[in-house]
Amino acid sequence: MRARRQRLCDLRCISSLLLQSIAQKMENAKEMGTAIVIDEIDRKILDVLQVEGRITNLELAERIGLSSAPCMRRVRTLEEAGVINCYVALVDPTRVGLGFDVIVEVRLKQQNRESFARFERKVIDLPEVVECCMIAGDWDYSLRIVSSDLARYQSFILDRLMHPDTDIASYRTTIILRKVKSTTKIDSSLFGEG
């Protein structure tokens, strides 16, 4: 009985040291901006949380085959390392009257840091723009814009995006007719090995 207790104590110590080591590696990777090592248990946790962000820790632990405390430690470690950025409620734009979804590609008058910075500051303050990416190729940026209809979209373009002191030289609109795939989940099979 005493030997069994000692083994359990040793296992807890090893488990604690292992988690501390993983946490330290994750912190180092976060500071360096590099990918971190995600093991199979972390993959299971991330697969579940990406679909069910409101699941309780107890349910999550049962689903992935861990006890509650180690599961919570792993989730906290993933949060602290920046692997899990936040927990959100995803709103369906069509259910709130924003079913007109558009992609706008933008070319700036000048391609320099100051122009990019001014444009990005402006775009951040436009609530209709739900995504903005700097891109390579013929265009400088790709924006995803939500609106209630074509008339409101046109008003947004003419009155807000293409304001008199704009850095935009030209833009191209693509209206999304139907979304074939739209997901926020990144499948854990794609995660790097670190």
Side-chain angles (χ1 to χ4, degrees):
M1 183 72 152
R2 185 179 177 120
R4 185 171 183 239
R5 279 192 205 149
Q6 184 61 43
R7 276 195 308 266
L8 282 174
C9 183
D10 290 345
L11 284 174
R12 284 189 193 125
C13 263
I14 291 168
S15 176
S16 177
L17 289 171
L18 182 60
L19 282 172
Q20 287 174 0
S21 172
I22 291 170
Q24 184 60 50
K25 285 180 183 176
M26 288 179 154
E27 186 59 34
N28 293 344
K30 183 179 177 185
E31 288 173 8
M32 293 172 29
T34 59
I36 62 167
V37 176
I38 302 291
D39 68 13
E40 195 57 37
I41 294 171
D42 291 335
R43 289 173 194 268
K44 289 178 183 178
I45 289 171
L46 293 169
D47 278 339
V48 172
L49 286 178
Q50 286 185 90
V51 177
E52 300 177 61
R54 294 182 65 179
I55 191 171
T56 66
N57 182 59
L58 184 59
E59 289 173 306
L60 177 61
E62 287 174 5
R63 185 105 44 100
I64 64 167
L66 275 183
S67 60
S68 184
C71 181
M72 179 59 79
R73 280 194 298 270
R74 281 181 172 263
V75 170
R76 292 284 183 250
T77 301
L78 290 167
E79 291 170 346
E80 290 166 5
V83 174
I84 298 173
N85 284 330
C86 64
Y87 299 89
V88 299
L90 299 174
V91 175
D92 182 343
T94 59
R95 299 282 183 163
V96 293
L98 297 171
F100 193 74
D101 208 349
V102 180
I103 295 183
V104 176
E105 293 171 311
V106 171
R107 183 178 301 118
L108 300 185
K109 293 174 185 172
Q110 296 180 331
Q111 286 68 37
N112 58 51
R113 290 184 188 278
E114 295 80 25
S115 295
F116 293 147
R118 270 193 311 272
F119 177 77
E120 290 172 12
R121 280 193 304 273
K122 176 72 175 168
V123 165
I124 286 171
D125 292 333
L126 299 172
E128 297 89 347
V129 178
V130 294
E131 187 172 357
C132 174
C133 301
M134 180 183 264
I135 58 176
D138 293 336
W139 301 90
D140 297 317
Y141 289 92
S142 176
L143 312 177
R144 195 171 129 251
I145 297 169
V146 294
S147 184
S148 57
D149 55 39
L150 181 59
R152 285 252 170 104
Y153 167 70
Q154 182 180 12
S155 176
F156 164 77
I157 288 292
L158 297 176
D159 301 333
R160 303 197 52 218
L161 190 64
M162 297 299 291
H163 53 86
D165 61 338
T166 186
D167 285 304
I168 299 173
S170 60
Y171 69 93
R172 177 173 67 184
T173 297
T174 303
I175 298 172
I176 298 172
L177 299 176
R178 177 174 44 125
K179 288 186 181 178
V180 176
K181 180 176 181 178
S182 178
T183 183
T184 59
K185 183 179 187 289
I186 301 171
D187 192 283
S188 66
S189 68
L190 300 174
F191 297 167
E193 296 299 320

